[in-house]
């Protein structure tokens, strides 16, 4: 039987393991024969190098992270090298490694960090891979068992999944809904939809469309959310302590090092090397920006020029890597005398405003002040370094927000696939050269 | 008699002093009046008199009668201190369908007319159906805004939701995203087009696409759809009317098993983008929006913003025209 903690380390069973075996932080760097034996006992793996075997709890923590990074970014990724992560023989050790990882990240980086998001995503992917290795019957059984505990009530209301929806871990459109309930159960499906499914066998439709797919999806996302909640708790408790645990801080740094190989992948589908500040290349702009530069002929001129175009052009010119770096900058950090802003960025914004119908500043001259505000220079007539910081330099709007606020602008092309921010599109194109 | 003509200051006075009654303000607003922010437009230049509060209907009544505003609004949000817009408690989930902005209209009017107002009503009816049947929401109110409709959801289970979730609900009910059509089961990939899935979001999407295609005219201009594809769509939409989507697809892309469903995909992708404009998305995701106060006068068009009790029988040209309009001499 598959241990529940192997899929959900935050289950009672998982907590019990930590209580019994995970207490001694001083020994987690030590070589542990039990871990080595458990890994060696798994046959479905390729251990051509001794270094592939985790020898301590901390080693196991780092292996988890390395797997996640390699799988995502190494073109020569070899699954067999990490196969031990997906077999229940290591369940007990893996649970402890999970807690060490979460505690280290919670203490050092906190809940809203990239590292925290990576740990939650890593956990989700480990669960997915583990489920794939199971026999169908075991898979159905374990998912049912875990879901029964995670979901207290018989039927799940979609409104109870608001956190998951908000964090975009699931999308409302992925759920099959009826009267507000998320339909997961076969009998419920048959009761509601048997009569309307005409082109296919209802049974087959259930298996294809819902089956275990949505159930697993929800379960994985709930565990990911719980992982984030756990990291948050650790962070809050650590904040009340005089001195954070040095061992965990050290592990957190090692984890961050391992993740840094991959960290550039954050920031909305923006992958590859960092794009440096350089003159704007209109050819590389996404369709929505090109359309905005042509001027807006109907409503929504202010939003497009002030809220959409101004942040995009300023960041694309001055700080295109804003999403892949963890640092907030001011315009003057890059453009000390504001010459680039005055001579390159503002003229482009003003030209687009003039191409609007009617020209934006003809009837709304105050929007020039709003543009200055969005660049971080407060509600002032001119860009003046003394006023910098009175307002925030707005970051470019995401594709999601563009679709909602200015649906007419979004006409995606092939490059838009997988892109979540127009700036990421620009960076991707700039890297192509 | 001319509809949609701006009301004069004199007509506003007549309306608020002789016709308007504070009891026409719906209970869902009067019931928690003290937690809402009110905003007013006195000169027809936008609601710049904001942060107003009223502790009782009597105060609201006195204010309206003395100021006879050009337009009156109240917040969708409830605040502990509405005068400062502080202590946000929760907010109605709102869908704003403006007949003037519907992307596919069968009329060619410049502003709004009976035809597009009816089309707005149909769209509103479809959205409300989905809110009830799929999302299971209750406490849904509808008001005629003067040029369209506001759907106002006061179901407690959604009132605390953030903008991200509201945007997902919006996209769900308007059918703004083309559903995934590849499904994996036991290692096999199945392709299921939305029209072959009669439940969940694919069903909503199919219904919305159907509505839009059936309302296209030969003059419709849709980005991404050529004149040729538009004509082909119009010629064959009888199949959709009878829900024969497979036949429709065959007509649009006769060799689709070999060459792919290029025309079909182009059509549904373009219409999905267009569906996003059925509702003003900004209103739905704004947690602090102010909306026209039902019962107040939309002075720009001389129509009464009215709570709609029965969508099937509601007729704005009977139920939302103030008396002074009928009495106009010109």
């Amino acid at each position: 039987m598959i241990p529940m903690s192997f899929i959900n380390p935050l289950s009672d069973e998982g907590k019990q393991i930590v209580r019994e075996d995970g207490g001694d932080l001083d020994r987690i760097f030590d070589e542990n024969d039990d871990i080595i034996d458990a890994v060696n006992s798994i046959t479905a793996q390729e251990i051509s190098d001794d270094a592939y075997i985790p020898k301590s709890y901390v080693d196991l923590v780092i292996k988890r992270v390395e797997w996640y990074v390699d799988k995502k970014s190494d073109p020569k990724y070899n699954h067999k090298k990490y196969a031990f992560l997906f077999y229940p023989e290591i369940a007990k050790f893996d649970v402890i490694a999970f807690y060490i990882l979460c505690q280290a990240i919670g203490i050092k980086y906190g809940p809203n960090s990239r590292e925290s998001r990576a740990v939650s995503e890593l956990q989700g992917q480990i669960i997915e891979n583990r489920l794939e290795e199971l026999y169908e019957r075991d898979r159905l059984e374990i998912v049912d068992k875990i879901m029964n505990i995670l979901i207290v009530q018989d039927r799940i209301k979609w409104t109870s999944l608001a956190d998951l929806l908000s964090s975009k871990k699931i999308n409302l459109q992925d759920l099959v809904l009826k009267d507000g309930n998320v339909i997961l159960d076969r009998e419920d499906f048959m009761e509601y939809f048997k009569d309307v499914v005409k082109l296919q066998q209802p049974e087959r439709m259930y298996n294809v469309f819902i089956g275990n797919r949505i159930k697993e999806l929800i379960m994985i996302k709930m565990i990911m959310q719980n992982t984030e909640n756990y990291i948050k708790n650790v962070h809050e408790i650590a904040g009340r302590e005089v001195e954070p645990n040095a061992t965990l801080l050290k592990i957190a740094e090692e984890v961050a090092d391992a993740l840094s190989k991959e960290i550039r992948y954050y920031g909305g589908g923006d992958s590859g090397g960092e794009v440096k500040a350089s003159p704007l290349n209109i050819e590389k702009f996404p369709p929505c920006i090109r359309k905005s530069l042509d001027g807006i002929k109907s409503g929504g001129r202010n939003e497009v020029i002030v809220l959409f175009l101004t942040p995009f052009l300023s960041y694309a010119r001055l700080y295109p890597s804003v999403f892949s770096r963890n640092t907030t900058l001011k315009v003057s950090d890059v453009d000390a005398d504001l010459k680039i802003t005055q001579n390159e960025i503002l003229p482009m914004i003003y030209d687009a405003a003039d191409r609007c119908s009617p020209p934006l500043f003809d009837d709304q001259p105050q929007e020039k002040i709003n543009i200055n505000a969005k660049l971080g220079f407060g509600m002032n007539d001119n860009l003046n370094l003394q006023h910098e910081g009175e307002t925030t330099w707005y970051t470019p709007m995401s594709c999601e927000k563009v679709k909602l606020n200015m649906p007419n602008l979004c006409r995606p092309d092939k490059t838009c696939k997988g892109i979540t921010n127009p700036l990421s599109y620009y960076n991707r194109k700039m890297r192509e050269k | 008699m001319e509809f949609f003509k701006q009301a004069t200051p004199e007509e506003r006075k007549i309306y608020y002093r002789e016709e308007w009654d504070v009891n026409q303000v719906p209970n869902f607003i009067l019931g928690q009046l003290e937690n809402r922010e009110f905003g007013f437009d006195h000169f027809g230049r936008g609601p710049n008199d904001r942060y107003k509060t009223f502790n009782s209907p009597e105060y609201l009544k006195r204010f309206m009668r003395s100021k006879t505003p050009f337009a009156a609004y109240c917040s969708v949000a409830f605040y502990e201190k509405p005068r400062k817009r502080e202590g946000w408690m929760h907010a109605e989930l709102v869908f704003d369908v403006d007949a003037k902005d519907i992307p596919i209209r069968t009329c060619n009017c410049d502003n709004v007319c009976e035809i597009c107002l009816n089309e707005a009503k149909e769209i509103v009816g479809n959205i409300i159906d989905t809110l009830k049947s799929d999302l299971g929401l209750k406490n849904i109110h509808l008001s005629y805004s003067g040029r369209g409709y506001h759907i106002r959801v006061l179901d407690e289970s959604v009132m605390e939701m953030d903008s991200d979730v509201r945007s997902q609900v919006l996209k769900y009910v308007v059918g703004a995203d083309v559903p995934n059509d590849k499904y994996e089961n036991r290692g096999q990939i199945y392709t299921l087009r939305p029209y072959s899935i009669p439940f969940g979001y694919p069903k909503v999407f199919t219904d919305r696409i159907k509505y839009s295609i059936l309302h296209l005219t030969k003059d419709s201009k849709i980005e991404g759809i050529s004149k040729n594809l538009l004509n082909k769509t119009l010629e064959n939409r009888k199949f959709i009317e009878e829900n024969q989507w497979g036949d429709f697809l065959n007509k649009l892309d006769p060799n689709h098993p070999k060459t792919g469903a290029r025309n079909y995909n182009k059509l549904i992708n373009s219409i999905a983008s267009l569906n996003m404009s059925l509702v003003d998305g900004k209103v739905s995701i704004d947690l602090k929006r102010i909306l026209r106060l039902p019962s107040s006068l939309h002075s720009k068009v001389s129509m009464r913003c009215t709570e709609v009790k029965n969508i099937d029988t509601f007729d704005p040209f009977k139920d939302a025209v103030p008396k002074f309009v009928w009495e106009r001499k010109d």
Side-chain angles (χ1 to χ4, degrees):
Chain A
M1 203 174 65
I2 310 300
M4 204 184 293
S5 58
F6 185 57
I7 302 298
N8 182 15
L10 293 157
S11 61
D12 287 347
E13 187 189 288
K15 287 175 191 158
Q16 182 69 20
I17 290 172
V18 177
R19 270 196 296 274
E20 286 171 5
D21 299 308
D24 194 354
L25 275 179
D26 295 334
R27 301 190 58 191
I28 56 177
F29 282 96
D30 295 352
E31 194 163 298
N32 185 319
D33 289 340
D34 293 338
I35 296 177
I36 297 169
D37 289 347
V39 172
N40 278 327
S41 71
I42 298 162
T43 50
Q45 60 184 337
E46 187 180 281
I47 301 183
S48 56
D49 188 332
D50 204 31
Y52 292 174
I53 304 173
K55 297 179 185 68
S56 66
Y57 280 116
V58 176
D59 253 6
L60 187 52
V61 168
I62 301 300
K63 288 284 175 218
R64 283 170 135 255
V65 179
E66 283 176 356
W67 165 76
Y68 166 75
V69 172
D70 282 2
K71 189 169 183 279
K72 220 170 179 180
S73 52
D74 183 358
K76 291 178 191 158
Y77 165 74
N78 176 5
H79 187 72
K80 285 188 174 174
K81 187 175 143 187
Y82 296 102
F84 61 86
L85 285 173
F86 310 107
Y87 286 86
E89 284 85 340
I90 63 146
K92 198 173 88 175
F93 311 106
D94 182 72
V95 168
I96 294 169
F98 166 85
Y99 279 89
I100 294 171
L101 176 59
C102 290
Q103 290 189 10
I105 296 303
I107 288 174
K108 172 89 179 170
Y109 299 106
N112 299 316
S113 59
R114 287 173 176 164
E115 289 76 11
S116 161
R117 286 201 301 274
V119 168
S120 143
E121 198 180 308
L122 177 167
Q123 191 57 29
Q125 290 186 13
I126 280 197
I127 299 170
E128 258 178 62
N129 279 265
R130 286 179 179 171
L131 290 171
E132 276 167 21
E133 297 290 343
L134 298 178
Y135 290 117
E136 190 71 15
R137 217 183 64 191
D138 289 343
R139 185 171 173 165
L140 293 171
E141 191 186 27
I142 191 84
V143 171
D144 270 345
K145 227 160 107 180
I146 293 173
M147 281 301 272
N148 285 342
I149 296 170
L150 285 177
I151 311 293
V152 184
Q153 65 269 52
D154 283 340
R155 283 180 177 165
I156 312 172
K157 291 267 176 206
W158 72 272
T159 46
S160 70
L161 302 174
D163 284 349
L164 292 174
L165 292 166
S166 176
S167 61
K168 302 209 168 62
K169 292 196 178 87
I170 53 172
N171 191 313
L172 193 61
Q173 294 168 7
D174 292 330
L175 307 173
V176 176
L177 301 171
K178 179 73 188 163
D179 300 332
N181 296 312
V182 182
I183 304 299
L184 296 173
D185 187 67
R186 186 181 300 267
E187 281 174 26
D188 285 344
F189 180 83
M190 292 302 161
E191 184 189 327
Y192 289 126
F193 305 124
K194 196 177 152 203
D195 295 336
V196 294
V197 176
K198 287 181 181 135
L199 299 172
Q200 312 268 351
Q201 289 289 326
E203 189 76 16
R204 183 158 167 263
M205 203 65 157
Y206 171 82
N207 287 334
V208 171
F209 201 80
I210 302 179
N212 232 27
R213 189 181 71 92
I214 292 177
K215 228 187 260 186
E216 273 182 12
L217 190 68
I218 292 178
M219 181 196 77
I220 292 171
K221 303 307 177 191
M222 288 180 92
I223 297 173
M224 285 169 71
Q225 186 68 54
N226 290 346
T227 302
E228 281 177 32
N229 295 345
Y230 178 67
I231 290 173
K232 190 176 168 197
N233 278 343
V234 169
H235 184 71
E236 283 167 6
I237 294 167
R240 295 197 286 270
E241 284 171 2
V242 183
E243 208 173 314
N245 184 295
T247 309
L248 290 171
L249 287 178
K250 194 177 162 205
I251 295 168
E253 278 164 21
E254 282 189 36
V255 170
D257 274 352
L259 278 173
S260 64
K261 282 192 212 162
E262 195 271 339
I263 215 83
R264 61 179 181 268
Y265 278 80
Y266 280 102
D270 191 6
S271 60
E274 190 171 284
V275 176
K276 301 246 164 23
S278 61
L280 290 167
N281 184 343
I282 297 175
E283 298 291 307
K284 312 280 184 188
F285 284 176
C288 50
I289 294 292
R290 272 184 271 141
K291 205 167 170 182
S292 311
L293 288 173
D294 289 342
I296 300 302
K297 310 297 175 209
S298 51
R301 291 172 303 155
N302 330 35
E303 277 174 312
V304 172
I305 302 297
V306 179
L307 293 175
F308 181 53
L309 203 55
T310 300
F312 176 87
L313 292 177
S314 54
Y315 274 94
R317 173 64 184 90
L318 301 172
Y319 188 20
S321 57
V322 56
F323 295 126
S324 56
R325 289 175 58 184
N326 208 4
T327 323
T328 308
L329 294 183
K330 289 187 286 189
V331 166
S332 65
D333 290 334
V334 193
D335 181 18
D337 52 10
L338 305 181
K339 277 191 177 156
I340 299 173
T341 313
Q342 300 274 18
N343 299 328
E344 295 179 39
I345 300 169
L346 283 180
M348 221 164 170
I349 299 170
Y350 287 5
D351 282 352
D354 276 346
R355 284 189 205 103
C356 290
S357 173
L360 179 63
F361 302 139
D362 282 6
D363 57 331
Q364 300 189 40
Q366 78 282 3
E367 291 300 348
K368 283 191 178 173
I369 295 172
N370 275 331
I371 289 170
N372 295 343
K374 299 301 174 261
L375 292 168
F377 292 87
M379 298 293 284
N380 294 296
D381 287 335
N382 295 303
L383 295 188
N384 186 330
L385 287 172
Q386 280 178 337
H387 294 301
E388 196 176 21
E390 285 178 13
T391 46
T392 313
W393 183 15
Y394 262 45
T395 48
M397 202 180 268
S398 67
C399 298
E400 184 80 6
K401 288 219 169 98
V402 175
K403 279 183 204 161
L404 277 170
N405 287 297
M406 313 145 194
N408 295 330
L409 277 188
C410 182
R411 295 289 176 267
D413 65 11
K414 278 181 194 161
T415 311
C416 291
K417 203 172 179 191
I419 288 284
T420 56
N421 192 294
L423 187 62
S424 307
Y425 179 113
Y426 181 64
N427 288 340
R428 185 182 280 184
K429 283 278 195 185
M430 286 296 278
R431 274 193 296 267
E432 281 172 10
K433 295 245 157 111
Chain B
M1 186 206 41
E2 195 188 341
F3 284 111
F4 303 123
K5 201 178 119 188
Q6 184 161 315
T8 63
E10 197 49 44
E11 286 174 329
R12 277 154 43 195
K13 267 184 203 159
I14 295 171
Y15 177 75
Y16 282 111
R17 292 178 186 170
E18 294 177 16
E19 189 174 347
W20 180 80
D21 182 338
V22 74
N23 292 320
Q24 292 162 353
V25 179
N27 283 336
F28 71 87
I29 290 174
L30 288 182
Q32 237 181 309
L33 198 65
E34 65 281 6
N35 294 114
R36 302 238 198 199
E37 180 217 349
F38 282 74
F40 298 94
D41 172 4
H42 298 293
F43 309 105
R45 278 183 246 140
N48 49 15
D49 179 15
R50 293 192 60 172
Y51 296 91
K52 284 270 182 289
T53 52
F54 299 98
N55 285 331
S56 76
E58 187 55 33
Y59 286 123
L60 175 63
K61 181 174 145 185
R62 272 193 239 159
F63 183 93
M64 298 293 263
R65 291 211 166 155
S66 76
K67 299 280 185 184
T68 63
F70 187 85
Y73 304 82
C74 88
S75 64
V76 298
F78 294 78
Y79 303 94
E80 280 158 17
K81 294 178 187 166
R83 189 177 284 279
K84 292 181 173 174
R85 252 192 272 168
E86 279 177 6
W88 185 91
M89 295 153 76
H90 53 211
E92 298 171 24
L93 168 64
V94 176
F95 302 91
D96 177 10
V97 180
D98 195 325
K100 182 171 60 70
D101 299 326
I102 298 172
I104 299 174
R105 308 196 295 177
T106 56
C107 62
N108 286 317
C109 76
D110 295 330
N111 193 359
V112 289
C113 67
E114 201 168 348
I115 298 170
C116 55
L117 278 172
N118 261 331
E119 286 167 355
K121 198 163 95 166
E122 282 179 293
I123 292 165
V124 160
N126 293 338
I127 292 174
I128 292 177
D129 277 350
T130 305
L131 289 171
K132 287 181 179 170
S133 61
D134 281 32
L135 300 171
L137 297 179
K138 297 184 174 70
N139 209 354
I140 299 173
H141 301 266
L142 180 64
S143 56
Y144 172 70
S145 65
R147 283 202 290 208
Y149 293 88
H150 293 152
I151 304 169
R152 310 177 65 147
V153 185
L154 284 99
D155 189 314
E156 278 179 21
S157 65
V158 292
M159 287 179 74
E160 281 182 26
M161 284 180 176
D162 63 21
S163 297
D164 287 328
V165 183
R166 286 169 195 247
S167 101
Q168 288 191 42
V169 174
L170 168 68
K171 291 206 261 176
Y172 188 102
V173 299
V174 299
D177 293 326
V178 179
N180 173 29
D181 64 358
K182 299 265 184 294
Y183 297 92
E184 196 246 317
N185 184 40
R186 298 180 189 214
Q188 270 213 291
I189 304 285
Y190 295 88
T191 302
L192 290 174
R193 294 193 196 279
Y195 58 76
S196 63
I197 306 169
F199 50 81
Y201 177 67
K203 160 98 170 61
V204 175
F205 179 79
T206 306
D207 290 347
R208 300 296 181 266
I209 292 285
K210 179 176 174 178
Y211 175 88
S212 295
I213 293 177
L214 293 181
H215 283 77
L216 288 172
T217 67
K218 62 179 177 31
D219 300 321
S220 299
K221 284 192 179 64
I222 301 165
E223 210 163 321
I225 299 182
S226 64
K227 195 81 194 155
N228 193 19
L229 179 54
L230 177 67
N231 288 338
K232 229 174 175 180
T233 304
L234 294 176
E235 274 165 31
N236 294 295
R237 65 178 169 186
K238 58 181 180 291
F239 293 108
I240 294 184
E241 232 164 325
E242 288 154 22
N243 291 323
Q244 293 170 348
W245 282 85
D247 292 338
F248 179 70
L249 169 63
N250 289 335
K251 290 287 180 190
L252 249 52
D253 295 285
N255 298 316
H256 67 87
K258 283 183 191 162
T259 55
R262 266 190 70 223
N263 284 331
Y264 167 85
N265 288 339
K266 221 184 248 178
L267 180 73
I268 64 164
N269 277 307
S270 296
I271 294 187
S273 303
L274 217 64
N275 282 352
M276 197 62 215
S277 317
L278 290 174
V279 170
D280 184 347
K282 292 192 289 293
V283 178
S284 298
I285 59 168
D286 191 343
L287 305 177
K288 295 186 171 179
R289 196 85 179 179
I290 51 172
L291 276 190
R292 266 181 205 285
L293 177 71
S295 79
S296 68
L297 185 68
H298 190 319
S299 298
K300 211 162 192 174
V301 289
S302 295
M303 292 282 254
R304 192 193 308 121
C305 176
T306 310
E307 187 180 21
V308 178
K309 295 279 188 194
N310 184 340
I311 187 171
D312 297 325
T313 57
F314 179 77
D315 176 356
F317 294 95
K318 277 191 202 146
D319 304 318
V321 180
K323 277 186 208 152
F324 71 79
V325 172
W326 298 113
E327 287 160 7
R328 274 176 183 162
K329 298 216 167 71
D330 49 350

